[in-house]
Amino acid sequence: MKLHEYQAKEILGKFGIPVPKGQLITAPNQAEDATQAVHGPPWVVKAQVHAGGRGKAGGVKVIQTPQAVMTAAASLLGNPLKTKQAGPEGVIVRKLLIEEGIDIEHEFYLSMVVDRSTAGPTMIFSPAGGMEIEEVAARSPELIRKQHVNSGAGWMPYQARNLIYDLDPPFRPETANALVAVMGALYKVFLTHDCSLVEINPLVTTTEGKVVALDAKMSIDDNALYRQKQLLELDDPLEKDPLERMAEAYNLNYIRLDGNIGAMVNGAGLAMATMDVIKLAGAEPANFLDVGGGASEEMITRGFEIILKDTRVKAILINIFGGILRCDVLARGVLAAANKIRIQVPLIVRLEGTNVEEGRAILKNSDLKFLVAKDLAEAAELVAKQVS
Ligand code: GDP
Ligand code: MN
């Protein structure tokens, strides 16, 4: 679960990390009030959407007059923001954060993530903060510094000093101390809220030598939400893809992707392999969907419905190796969905495993039109041919 910037900043502030003062608005007529409540000029108007890269897309504006803040609010609210991460359709901006402008001296990058290779949290710091951290990582990996946290000992202040001590130009002592404190607080935020990521980009030094978190991203491990009930209230379902939201309601593991081959598979491993084989055949998957081993006919129906609702899907591949999931249950689920929504794209089916004969018979005796593949490679080639 992701938090909005304004929600994450409130948490950071509570843990002692300096953040700019700001006010959230949801309608343009609240903008003037906000400019009175928040110190300026300049004010910074920030679109509150979960997708990153807002700055480059015009979703972060540094503004000099209350009038211009009102104009910016009117043009942003209710309209889509097309950031690099949001994709071509963009995301509708429903909330804006109006903040006091900060005099930036330098922009740093700071985050804590779960590092799978060390099976623990890792602090990442870079003197090259700002908007393009992915490019820094690709082009100048030496500018990205890491410190792994020993789970027994926890975060140690010397690790913070390791991250910053040899920078050129060196920090003023009070700035260095402030950075060490921010890192310690960041670790506490991360641990207390069962985060998978807390990212401050940029973390800035001001011309007065202060350290301020100018941006904040926070993701909570979904598996920990049962014990993070107060965070659950911060969930904003409107930020999620509508099809992903529907899948979540039916307990389906579904992730929307950019391609046009819809895929319905059982088992996460097989679903990953299926996506690989689709790509190998020269096509692009439209989604990841693992209907799971114990899927009911209802869940299959819902899963297939979700794929059919995705207007970008130009062909569908059903790849089932029935183990716990029986092929006859799958076939009935697919038919139920096909009865509700007309299938207008080619359908390729590869079925194996438990009750495969019954499953095949059910599909064959229906008026569903589909192609049968004898194995996965053939299935992928068939499906790729439909869109080439
Ligand atoms: P993102 O593009 O979605 O990551 O949005 P950010 O909140 O990181 O803002 C992008 C950029 O806007 C920052 O890297 C800063 O350069 C600039 N910015 C944000 N807030 C301020 C501010 O208070 N003062 C100034 N001068 N620039 C700001
Ligand atoms: Mn940022």
Side-chain angles (χ1 to χ4, degrees):
M1 182 185 114
K2 288 182 185 167
L3 300 191
H4 278 297
E5 175 189 7
Y6 76 93
Q7 298 168 327
K9 277 181 168 166
E10 199 179 317
I11 294 174
L12 294 183
K14 276 188 193 148
F15 280 70
I17 298 176
V19 292
K21 291 196 177 58
Q23 190 160 314
L24 191 75
I25 68 167
T26 52
N29 64 10
Q30 299 164 353
E32 193 174 9
D33 267 4
T35 57
Q36 276 158 21
V38 176
H39 184 265
W43 291 276
V44 184
V45 176
K46 309 189 79 178
Q48 298 299 289
V49 294
H50 282 176
R54 297 164 304 165
K56 286 227 152 159
V60 177
K61 293 189 158 86
V62 182
I63 295 177
Q64 299 299 332
T65 68
Q67 188 56 44
V69 171
M70 278 148 43
T71 312
S75 77
L76 282 167
L77 280 169
N79 292 317
L81 185 69
K82 291 175 187 156
T83 80
K84 214 169 165 183
Q85 288 180 15
E89 302 140 48
V91 275
I92 301 289
V93 178
R94 295 186 168 86
K95 296 173 190 161
L96 292 178
L97 182 61
I98 314 286
E99 278 188 340
E100 57 177 336
I102 302 287
D103 256 339
I104 301 175
E105 184 191 60
H106 191 86
E107 302 193 359
F108 297 91
Y109 173 95
L110 181 68
S111 72
M112 182 152 261
V113 294
V114 174
D115 185 334
R116 276 153 222 281
S117 63
T118 57
T122 290
M123 188 86 74
I124 303 173
F125 177 78
S126 175
M131 295 198 256
E132 303 279 355
I133 194 65
E134 289 83 1
E135 275 177 32
V136 176
R139 236 187 287 144
S140 330
E142 75 283 357
L143 290 180
I144 309 258
R145 303 166 168 214
K146 295 182 188 173
Q147 285 286 319
H148 304 297
V149 180
N150 178 303
S151 306
W155 176 254
M156 301 298 249
Y158 79 84
Q159 295 187 287
R161 291 192 288 274
N162 276 351
L163 287 173
I164 62 173
Y165 86 102
D166 59 345
L167 284 181
D168 188 32
F171 288 112
R172 288 171 292 233
E174 65 274 19
T175 311
N177 287 339
L179 274 171
V180 171
V182 165
M183 289 179 185
L186 188 73
Y187 173 65
K188 285 201 188 102
V189 168
F190 184 90
L191 215 60
T192 311
H193 301 89
D194 288 310
C195 296
S196 51
L197 165 84
V198 188
E199 182 184 79
I200 304 176
N201 186 29
L203 174 70
V204 304
T205 46
T206 70
T207 37
E208 297 133 35
K210 293 210 176 83
V211 173
V212 183
L214 228 53
D215 189 13
K217 268 204 187 83
M218 212 165 144
S219 300
I220 317 297
D221 184 342
D222 289 339
N223 293 316
L225 286 173
Y226 75 95
R227 61 180 194 189
Q228 295 288 353
K229 297 251 159 54
Q230 79 291 357
L231 290 178
L232 216 47
E233 282 162 29
L234 303 181
D235 190 26
D236 186 350
L238 288 175
E239 287 288 320
K240 286 177 206 155
D241 181 287
L243 294 178
E244 287 189 4
R245 219 155 56 208
M246 186 175 159
E248 212 178 276
Y250 297 112
N251 253 323
L252 292 162
N253 294 317
Y254 171 88
I255 296 164
R256 207 171 163 190
L257 304 167
D258 295 329
N260 56 10
I261 307 285
M264 177 144 124
V265 189
N266 68 321
L270 189 57
M272 299 285 275
T274 305
M275 295 195 309
D276 283 349
V277 179
I278 289 172
K279 276 182 168 274
L280 202 63
E284 293 289 329
N287 66 275
F288 169 93
L289 171 59
D290 159 27
V291 293
S296 62
E297 192 182 313
E298 157 95 8
M299 281 169 76
I300 302 283
T301 307
R302 296 303 184 181
F304 201 55
E305 260 181 74
I306 288 169
I307 294 177
L308 291 174
K309 278 191 175 165
D310 186 342
T311 49
R312 292 177 304 184
V313 167
K314 298 286 174 271
I316 298 175
L317 171 58
I318 296 183
N319 181 25
I320 300 292
F321 190 88
I324 305 170
L325 173 67
R326 294 167 9 217
C327 293
D328 56 318
V329 171
L330 178 276
R332 272 191 288 269
V334 167
L335 286 188
N339 281 335
K340 272 203 233 168
I341 305 177
R342 212 160 67 84
I343 305 181
Q344 287 169 322
V345 296
L347 175 64
I348 286 93
V349 179
R350 184 241 171 183
L351 272 188
E352 283 304 338
T354 312
N355 291 3
V356 64
E357 295 310 331
E358 280 139 278
R360 282 186 188 146
I362 290 168
L363 291 178
K364 214 186 215 160
N365 298 331
S366 72
D367 43 18
L368 195 66
K369 283 197 195 64
F370 61 94
L371 301 168
V372 177
K374 66 173 189 314
D375 58 30
L376 180 51
E378 190 186 271
E381 257 161 51
L382 266 175
V383 81
K385 220 182 271 167
Q386 310 299 320
V387 298
S388 63

